[in-house]
Amino acid sequence: VKVNTYLWNRTIQHTGINGNATTGRNDNLYVYGLKLRGEASNMWFSLDIAKNAGECRGNAGTRCGLAAGDSSNYTGHAGLVELGFNADLANVGGLSPWFNAEMGTGRSDSETGTNDQFQSISSDWRPGVINRRFAAAGTGTTGAVVGGNGTLPNGGQAGSTVGLGNRVVWGLGTTFTPAAMDQLTVGVQAWDFRMQRNDGSNWNTPAANAHAGNKHIGTEGALTTTWRHSENVSLGAGAARFWNGGFIKEQTAADNPITFFYSDINIRF
């Protein structure tokens, strides 16, 4: 078992609005936590726990408090656990099932001095096939469906699936490498994305409160294949599909799944 601890700080320097010294106070976010990694008897696991601290302050337009210059304390937290097993089946091949579960808190009230939505400093955590490739792409409905930072009606924020701010995510799958063709690896995986909280405080405008309640962003399933041509060259191909959850259906009045096919060539220098 390996244990690591960490502490990161992000400071946003504010100069104030029209000389207002209150709005010129800096925003300070601290992220600290624990990482565990372990292996035993062909099994492996990882556990990440993160906690926020610091003061959320912003210029006009930010949601740290009721008005420009109001501050709130960062108090969010998140956790991520992964479990897996590597099995070598005689004359059959290698089988590696895995399970993944994560949760990050959402903000319970945007009008108090507590910001309990988990905040990451620069997250690039994007599970899934479609979500990994397009999570930061698109605007509007398209961006929401694939997990981007688009905008939904009534000023609501799109269902981003990057990071763990206000998210509950789980995934499971397996990979298989046949003994008769050990250069080939085939995998299947499924992911489910939900909000941790959807009570109306997630929105920019009161009009969107009518949609508070449904937390399900969507579900993704995928089939992947990889052919290891040599030590430095591999080929990949696969297909994935994303089904909209109730959160997106309520906001867009649409139910249009995404189907995605891909092929890759990976060269290592």
Side-chain angles (χ1 to χ4, degrees):
V1 176
K2 296 181 179 179
V3 181
N4 290 288
T5 58
Y6 61 89
L7 170 64
W8 291 91
N9 169 246
R10 181 202 67 191
T11 299
I12 299 177
Q13 296 181 338
H14 291 156
T15 58
I17 302 174
N18 298 325
N20 188 327
T22 302
T23 60
R25 300 179 67 185
N26 292 340
D27 177 289
N28 281 292
L29 169 65
Y30 295 90
V31 182
Y32 63 95
L34 175 73
K35 293 186 177 184
L36 300 178
R37 302 289 185 269
E39 296 181 5
S41 302
N42 295 326
M43 298 182 64
W44 56 268
F45 81 93
S46 66
L47 173 66
D48 291 33
I49 300 173
K51 186 75 172 67
N52 290 152
E55 302 79 34
C56 179
R57 299 187 180 100
N59 293 329
T62 60
R63 299 174 65 239
C64 292
L66 288 171
D70 286 356
S71 65
S72 56
N73 296 321
Y74 288 117
T75 61
H77 55 274
L80 183 155
V81 61
E82 295 179 297
L83 304 170
F85 180 76
N86 298 317
D88 189 6
L89 308 177
N91 301 319
V92 177
L95 185 68
S96 299
W98 54 268
F99 174 75
N100 185 301
E102 305 84 26
M103 189 277 288
T105 54
R107 191 166 188 177
S108 58
D109 189 344
S110 62
E111 298 183 356
T112 66
T114 300
N115 186 349
D116 45 357
Q117 176 164 323
F118 176 70
Q119 307 288 328
S120 59
I121 292 178
S122 183
S123 179
D124 191 40
W125 185 78
R126 297 172 292 166
V129 173
I130 296 177
N131 185 52
R132 180 176 299 277
R133 294 170 183 258
F134 298 104
T139 58
T141 303
T142 302
V145 171
V146 299
N149 297 317
T151 301
L152 294 174
N154 298 323
Q157 295 300 302
S160 173
T161 48
V162 178
L164 279 177
N166 192 23
R167 293 293 174 263
V168 176
V169 182
W170 61 261
L172 56 84
T174 188
T175 59
F176 175 68
T177 301
M181 196 179 300
D182 60 3
Q183 290 177 288
L184 175 68
T185 299
V186 179
V188 293
Q189 56 183 268
W191 293 92
D192 187 75
F193 305 92
R194 295 177 179 271
M195 287 183 168
Q196 191 271 332
R197 185 185 297 274
N198 185 11
D199 57 5
S201 64
N202 305 300
W203 308 104
N204 291 338
T205 61
N209 291 350
H211 297 289
N214 201 309
K215 301 177 182 179
H216 190 208
I217 298 172
T219 303
E220 179 183 319
L223 171 67
T224 64
T225 60
T226 302
W227 177 265
R228 192 178 70 257
H229 178 72
S230 65
E231 182 180 354
N232 296 320
V233 178
S234 64
L235 309 176
R241 190 170 178 85
F242 185 95
W243 292 270
N244 297 342
F247 166 72
I248 293 178
K249 292 177 183 178
E250 287 184 357
Q251 298 300 317
T252 65
D255 184 14
N256 301 312
I258 290 175
T259 302
F260 174 65
F261 301 93
Y262 74 92
S263 61
D264 293 327
I265 299 177
N266 297 304
I267 302 175
R268 185 174 63 180
F269 295 94

